[in-house]
Amino acid sequence: MSQLAIQTVLEEKLTGIIERVTFYSEETGFCVLRVQVKGFVDLVTVIGHAPAINAGEFLETSGTWVHNATYGRQFKATSLTPLPPCTPEGIIKYLGSGLIRGMRASTAQKLVEHFGETILDILDNDPKRLSEVAGIGEKKAEIIGKSWEEQKVVRNIMLFLHQHGVSSSKAFRIFQTYGENAIWIIQKNPYRLARDIKGIGFLSADKIAEKMNVAKDSLMRVQAGISHCLLEIVEAGSCGYPREGLIEKSIELLDVSRERVEEGIQEELLSGHIVADTVEDEDCLFLKGMHIAEYQSARILKTLNASTSGWSNTDAEKAAQWIENTHRISLASSQKRAIQKALQSRVMIITGGPGVGKTTLVKSLVYIFEAMKLKVKLCAPTGRAAKRLSEVTGRDALTVHRLLEVSPNDGKFKRNVENPLDCDVLFVDESSMIDTSLLFGILKAMPPKGSLFFIGDIDQLPSVGAGQVLKDMIESEQLPVARLTEIFRQAQNSEIVRNAYRVNSGQIPRTDLIFEAGDFCFCESESPELAVDQIVEMVTKKIPEQLNISARQVQVLCPMRRSLTGVNNLNVVLQKAINSSPSVYVERFGIRFQINDKVMQIVNNYDKDVYNGDIGYITGIDHEDKSLSIDFEGHIVFYNFEELDEITLAYAVSVHKSQGSEYKAVVIPILMQHYMMLQRNLLYTGITRGKEKVVLVGEKKALWIAVKNYRLAKRYTKLKEWLTSENL
């Protein structure tokens, strides 16, 4: 007898009422159920997958009996079909399970007592009648009726999508976006999901399309694949990409002919999803939004630069003297020249390395503008950078997203051309982190007569997002730039500053400094295994004892995520060393989250008002509510367990993620394991994140390679070209 025949003989059908949902994964649909089955004295444990499941539902299932060494006999279902309950007890349990907003177990009891088994028909056809029950008014009846209708639609969508490999949490996002037409829209073009739904990319949409028998060379698939390749290019830092390179990437992704890809490109161009243009005379293709953002940003910058400020006649020399006398600030000649240039400009860039007085200059300009009765606003790309800017200036500073009032619904900014910022002067700190989209958002929100100042270190890593905004603006030589180069006396005494400049000028940082002697040292390692032990000792013992700080205040910055001395492994090792005995924890997406863990938000979440790079500490884990709370410097944010893919452990973070932040102490592993990421600007950026202590742990050869490697991956952008164009 064949294996298939044996399986058919062994498979059984089982029906019953779900008494309890012991476990349910929103991500995979896997569930463990306790089911009351006719003919069985005890509850039966059923395991399987379902798009949605609730206590009280009637269950029809097919599967086989298995024995688990820990949990005993279980029914392993190959199919699970939950149906509305058919007994009064089941209906009460079902309606009171949390399925419907505004419906508690006590409310469900009252409804069943009043309407009996007809309650489900009433919810379907005449929910207004719920107000007949004492304690349920018309408004509550409306809420319950609406929630009931929504869950029915969602359930149908979930059933459809689960059959095509989509998780329940993503299915609900699809319903929120498409509403009741979700299934029709997806059947017509499943690749719309990749464009419209957060968290569903091309690869997920492609799996759904494959199950729907969409042909591999279908034009809708090819077009979606081309846009996906361009989106990946944008996420890697470029605003556009050479046409030939995009064709090659698309062929590799889609496994279709060159002719079909070229046909797809033509259709995408005709639809307006992508745009053709040149970068340094090379034919390139852009996503439409990125092309518009660069073009319009250049146009607005040129318009700002062509006009004069309303205070251009102010005596800069007197203003500088007033600062020195009134605020007891000693200004260098370069800072005084910068003040003069700032008073005459509507857009200007202030750049320089550590210790050259960028902060002092910004503080002086803020005082001068405020003395002129002008309204000044300050912002930075990250919460930590904004907090630091606020501390050094004594003025409120916001993240760019909060300043521009991002909408949690669609991620768009409420501040724009029609609703500009209420200020006369805007300072944007850590501008090396500003990407093309964020620059466009800032420029659209500028008031008609406002002035704009960018502050940043051009030698740091470029933005994580697409573009090289600060570099392009400076290299265009079309905008006023104040370059501060004079290192102040206090900074001259810092080995952190000295060695940062050594790295930036192509010299090896000093490796002969001992740990106890100052604020910078190199700790040599014979192997990655030894480096891990040295890092743990530095973080948990040596640095905390020297600086009298906690281990959580020491930040490990890694060149890359993978490897023994990368972000992923060091987070696991440091979590065990720093937070080894948690009272409560939860494991999700391969990460164990514990009370008091240091964590980082890794995507922008406008609804929660937390952003990529924000660091906080876990303050609570509630397994009953399946939620977790994090304190982001006084801002308490709650996450459902299925949302924990938005955060990660932050005992160690990448150097890229550290941009815009400053830490009391920094430890940087730098070994040959990191060969692919060893670059001068990465090492320079990491060193300049440390305020009181920087320790490099690793190999001298790796250090030498990083310092000597100053060639950066090319980013395809148009901003510089448009700034220099006379025809814009």
Side-chain angles (χ1 to χ4, degrees):
M1 187 181 288
S2 70
Q3 183 67 33
L4 179 62
I6 292 172
Q7 184 176 350
T8 304
V9 170
L10 294 177
E11 192 166 270
E12 299 179 30
K13 290 186 181 295
L14 205 66
T15 60
I17 296 173
I18 301 171
E19 278 291 316
R20 186 166 68 250
V21 179
T22 303
F23 174 81
Y24 180 72
S25 169
E26 287 283 352
E27 186 64 24
T28 65
F30 176 75
C31 54
V32 179
L33 312 174
R34 296 287 282 164
V35 181
Q36 187 181 72
V37 180
K38 189 175 181 180
F40 287 77
V41 177
D42 298 324
L43 296 178
V44 173
T45 299
V46 176
I47 58 173
H49 291 78
I53 207 83
N54 289 280
E57 289 180 305
F58 188 77
L59 187 70
E60 291 182 350
T61 180
S62 299
T64 56
W65 291 98
V66 296
H67 183 80
N68 183 283
T70 304
Y71 301 108
R73 195 176 186 226
Q74 298 177 330
F75 189 80
K76 186 176 181 180
T78 55
S79 68
L80 283 173
T81 306
L83 300 169
C86 54
T87 66
E89 295 78 11
I91 293 171
I92 292 171
K93 188 177 289 289
Y94 177 59
L95 295 179
S97 65
L99 173 75
I100 304 168
R101 289 195 311 274
M103 181 84 75
R104 297 182 179 179
S106 58
T107 306
Q109 177 85 31
K110 288 181 182 179
L111 289 172
V112 173
E113 286 176 356
H114 186 86
F115 294 109
E117 296 176 19
T118 64
I119 179 60
L120 298 182
D121 289 331
I122 289 168
L123 283 166
D124 277 335
N125 304 309
D126 195 7
K128 291 181 180 179
R129 286 194 59 197
L130 300 182
S131 60
E132 295 176 12
V133 178
I136 299 181
E138 291 183 6
K139 188 173 182 180
K140 187 171 183 179
E142 184 181 349
I143 291 171
I144 292 172
K146 186 176 180 182
S147 180
W148 173 260
E149 189 61 33
E150 283 178 359
Q151 68 84 24
K152 278 205 311 180
V153 175
V154 172
R155 179 175 291 268
N156 290 336
I157 293 171
M158 284 180 169
L159 285 167
F160 170 79
L161 290 172
H162 200 285
Q163 292 168 358
H164 294 87
V166 179
S167 70
S168 300
S169 58
K170 288 178 181 176
F172 190 71
R173 287 184 211 158
I174 292 169
F175 167 70
Q176 288 179 311
T177 303
Y178 297 145
E180 296 180 5
N181 295 321
I183 294 175
W184 178 82
I185 290 170
I186 294 163
Q187 287 175 328
K188 186 176 180 183
N189 184 357
Y191 294 100
R192 277 192 59 177
L193 292 169
R195 279 201 174 103
D196 299 341
I197 311 298
K198 177 185 174 184
I200 299 184
F202 169 80
L203 298 179
S204 297
D206 202 33
K207 288 178 182 177
I208 295 171
E210 184 179 10
K211 290 188 176 184
M212 293 170 59
N213 297 317
V214 174
K216 189 167 75 170
D217 65 347
S218 161
L219 203 53
M220 76 167 74
R221 178 174 184 265
V222 174
Q223 287 180 246
I226 291 164
S227 287
H228 171 71
C229 287
L230 267 177
L231 184 60
E232 284 193 323
I233 286 162
V234 166
E235 290 173 349
S238 287
C239 295
Y241 203 67
R243 185 187 188 106
E244 189 60 35
L246 179 62
I247 290 173
E248 291 174 4
K249 284 180 178 290
S250 300
I251 291 172
E252 183 179 357
L253 171 72
L254 299 166
D255 190 24
V256 297
S257 68
R258 180 187 180 90
E259 291 73 23
R260 198 59 167 163
V261 169
E262 288 178 337
E263 186 180 353
I265 287 174
Q266 188 59 33
E267 287 298 319
E268 284 290 271
L269 288 167
L270 289 172
S271 69
H273 289 140
I274 65 175
V275 176
D277 207 333
T278 59
V279 175
E280 298 175 358
D281 297 324
E282 190 170 4
D283 290 336
C284 291
L285 295 167
F286 295 74
L287 289 174
K288 181 181 178 181
M290 296 307 302
H291 193 262
I292 290 173
E294 283 205 295
Y295 175 83
Q296 293 294 349
S297 292
R299 186 183 62 78
I300 297 170
L301 284 168
K302 287 171 77 76
T303 300
L304 281 171
N305 192 44
S307 58
T308 57
S309 69
W311 42 88
S312 57
N313 294 326
T314 304
D315 191 322
E317 188 175 339
K318 286 185 178 180
Q321 191 174 23
W322 175 79
I323 283 292
E324 291 185 316
N325 294 338
T326 307
H327 294 276
R328 296 182 180 181
I329 295 174
S330 180
L331 296 171
S333 56
S334 60
Q335 291 173 315
K336 291 178 181 178
R337 289 193 297 272
I339 287 173
Q340 182 177 22
K341 189 177 290 187
L343 290 171
Q344 295 172 345
S345 306
R346 285 203 57 202
V347 60
M348 179 174 140
I349 299 160
I350 299 169
T351 189
V356 296
K358 295 192 299 294
T359 298
T360 299
L361 175 57
V362 171
K363 189 160 51 174
S364 299
L365 286 170
V366 169
Y367 294 158
I368 290 169
F369 287 133
E370 287 181 342
M372 296 164 63
K373 306 300 182 185
L374 298 174
K375 187 173 287 188
V376 178
K377 287 190 181 295
L378 302 98
C379 68
T382 67
R384 294 180 72 87
K387 184 180 180 183
R388 196 174 80 249
L389 180 61
S390 179
E391 288 170 350
V392 298
T393 60
R395 304 292 186 270
D396 289 338
L398 301 173
T399 63
V400 176
H401 287 87
R402 286 175 183 157
L403 177 81
L404 300 180
E405 298 176 22
V406 66
S407 168
N409 297 324
D410 55 17
K412 294 180 180 178
F413 297 127
K414 295 177 184 177
R415 293 290 184 175
N416 48 40
V417 175
E418 291 77 26
N419 182 31
L421 292 167
D422 180 22
C423 66
D424 301 299
V425 181
L426 176 63
F427 289 91
V428 183
D429 199 11
E430 296 290 350
S431 293
S432 62
M433 298 179 66
I434 299 293
D435 61 29
T436 297
S437 298
L438 211 50
L439 174 69
F440 188 33
I442 292 167
L443 292 172
K444 285 193 293 183
M446 280 303 296
K449 295 183 180 180
S451 290
L452 176 60
F453 297 92
F454 296 99
I455 307 101
D457 185 346
I458 187 60
D459 295 313
Q460 288 186 21
L461 289 166
S463 60
V464 175
Q468 46 191 18
V469 166
L470 189 63
K471 181 175 183 286
D472 282 351
M473 290 194 299
I474 291 174
E475 290 187 353
S476 74
E477 298 182 350
Q478 300 299 305
L479 305 175
V481 178
R483 298 176 185 270
L484 304 182
T485 57
E486 182 180 343
I487 303 175
F488 282 80
R489 187 176 303 165
Q490 185 177 354
Q492 288 175 357
N493 297 326
S494 167
E495 287 294 344
I496 294 175
V497 173
R498 287 177 181 173
N499 283 285
Y501 278 105
R502 286 179 68 86
V503 169
N504 202 32
S505 61
Q507 300 177 64
I508 305 298
R510 289 185 63 180
T511 58
D512 59 333
L513 299 171
I514 62 173
F515 177 83
E516 294 78 11
D519 59 6
F520 181 92
C521 76
F522 174 77
C523 180
E524 191 165 9
S525 294
E526 296 177 357
S527 67
E529 289 80 8
L530 177 60
V532 171
D533 292 338
Q534 291 169 318
I535 290 166
V536 172
E537 185 182 21
M538 284 289 178
V539 172
T540 61
K541 185 178 179 182
K542 296 187 73 172
I543 293 177
E545 287 178 358
Q546 187 184 59
L547 300 184
N548 192 28
I549 60 176
S550 72
R552 296 200 307 181
Q553 290 177 281
V554 183
Q555 186 61 59
V556 178
L557 304 179
C558 303
M560 60 194 297
R561 300 199 65 83
R562 293 182 296 276
S563 82
L564 199 64
T565 53
V567 170
N568 296 340
N569 183 59
L570 285 177
N571 264 321
V572 174
V573 173
L574 289 168
Q575 183 189 46
K576 289 179 181 177
I578 297 171
N579 192 17
S580 59
S581 301
S583 56
V584 186
Y585 65 89
V586 60
E587 291 189 17
R588 283 295 186 275
F589 308 103
I591 300 175
R592 178 169 171 151
F593 296 104
Q594 305 172 166
I595 295 287
N596 297 321
D597 267 339
K598 183 180 183 180
V599 294
M600 174 182 279
Q601 178 78 15
I602 56 175
V603 296
N604 290 335
N605 188 317
Y606 308 116
D607 192 34
K608 297 183 188 297
D609 196 22
V610 285
Y611 304 96
N612 192 350
D614 286 354
I615 287 180
Y617 297 92
I618 296 176
T619 56
I621 297 174
D622 189 328
H623 280 277
E624 187 173 336
D625 288 344
K626 294 185 178 180
S627 68
L628 176 150
S629 60
I630 301 174
D631 182 353
F632 289 100
E633 298 185 354
H635 176 44
I636 307 298
V637 179
F638 291 88
Y639 294 78
N640 294 324
F641 284 171
E642 64 267 22
E643 296 176 314
L644 296 184
D645 56 342
E646 294 189 5
I647 64 170
T648 190
L649 295 176
Y651 299 101
V653 302
S654 69
V655 177
H656 283 85
K657 288 288 188 183
S658 75
Q659 285 178 269
S661 298
E662 187 177 75
Y663 311 95
K664 279 184 176 292
V666 162
V667 178
I668 306 173
I670 184 158
L671 297 98
M672 292 304 295
Q673 284 190 330
H674 308 140
Y675 181 79
M676 295 298 293
M677 293 298 293
L678 295 178
Q679 291 180 331
R680 182 185 299 175
N681 64 348
L682 183 139
L683 180 58
Y684 171 77
T685 300
I687 291 173
T688 56
R689 299 306 90 200
K691 187 177 181 181
E692 298 179 22
K693 191 79 176 183
V694 172
V695 179
L696 307 184
V697 178
E699 301 164 301
K700 288 182 179 179
K701 182 179 179 181
L703 191 60
W704 185 88
I705 290 172
V707 171
K708 298 305 176 184
N709 182 14
Y710 62 90
R711 293 179 179 85
L712 306 178
K714 181 178 176 61
R715 291 193 171 196
Y716 290 87
T717 67
K718 284 283 289 184
L719 182 62
K720 178 182 172 181
E721 285 187 44
W722 271 320
L723 284 171
T724 56
S725 173
E726 296 180 359
N727 300 320
L728 188 66

